[in-house]
Amino acid sequence: CGELKDGKSLAAVVVAHRAADPADPTLPLWDAGARGLAGDHVGAVDALRPHLAVLLADEAHAVRAEDTWIRALIACKRFDEALAAARNSTARDGDPYFEAVVHAARGNVDETRAVLLTLAAQGYPAERFYRDAILGPVMRSEAFADVRAMFPEPPPDARR
């Protein structure tokens, strides 16, 4: 299922899975993912919101729920909510990665740089930043040239 890259295909799988296992607690994540892939980011937020607390309470699903939630909020330009969710994630696991994503999406160069320095100190390689669907393009932008100089993009043959 994780390999489906278009909203329509994933939505069809979600419908079939819902019929087979309507009690699956991950259905809201799949539904939100399908909506997001289809460009319906408001629908993704709406699909996830009523189930978010339960998903976040389950360590097996917390990171995926945070990732889906924060990225949907960013896509809706709800940066304050996204940053609050990212900070809650950091408080939960000590990993401020989502804060970097929100700051970058918002165009906050200094805040992004500060979080990336923390992430680098935690062992994150620069290639991880560039692989991110939100963070990578922002880091390649002219506005982030100073940040890019601190964290140069590895050549394609050096990436995993």
Side-chain angles (χ1 to χ4, degrees):
C1 258
E3 295 302 313
L4 295 173
K5 298 294 183 193
D6 70 271
K8 193 176 238 182
S9 297
L10 184 54
V13 171
V14 171
V15 168
H17 188 70
R18 183 173 282 119
D21 187 3
D24 183 345
T26 65
L27 278 169
L29 280 172
W30 289 107
D31 187 26
R35 290 169 189 254
L37 284 172
D40 180 10
H41 303 291
V42 171
V45 168
D46 291 344
L48 207 47
R49 184 181 303 280
H51 308 280
L52 195 59
V54 170
L55 289 164
L56 293 176
D58 183 343
E59 197 60 36
H61 306 297
V63 173
R64 185 164 160 233
E66 288 166 340
D67 184 73
T68 303
W69 178 246
I70 291 166
R71 290 174 190 279
L73 290 170
I74 289 170
C76 293
K77 307 274 188 245
R78 291 162 65 173
F79 298 114
D80 291 340
E81 286 178 77
L83 186 57
R87 287 180 173 151
N88 287 339
S89 173
T90 303
R92 181 185 62 76
D93 65 11
D95 183 349
Y97 187 84
F98 293 126
E99 290 184 48
V101 173
V102 176
H103 286 307
R106 198 175 221 173
N108 295 337
V109 176
D110 293 338
E111 292 87 344
T112 304
R113 180 186 305 109
V115 179
L116 292 180
L117 287 167
T118 299
L119 291 169
Q122 290 180 348
Y124 274 82
E127 82 171 278
R128 169 80 186 273
F129 309 147
Y130 289 97
R131 280 187 295 157
D132 189 279
I134 294 172
L135 190 53
V138 172
M139 290 203 37
R140 291 180 189 100
S141 72
E142 187 56 37
F144 278 71
D146 291 345
V147 176
R148 194 170 50 256
M150 293 177 73
F151 301 98
E153 184 170 11
D157 59 345
R159 296 181 203 156
R160 287 179 232 153

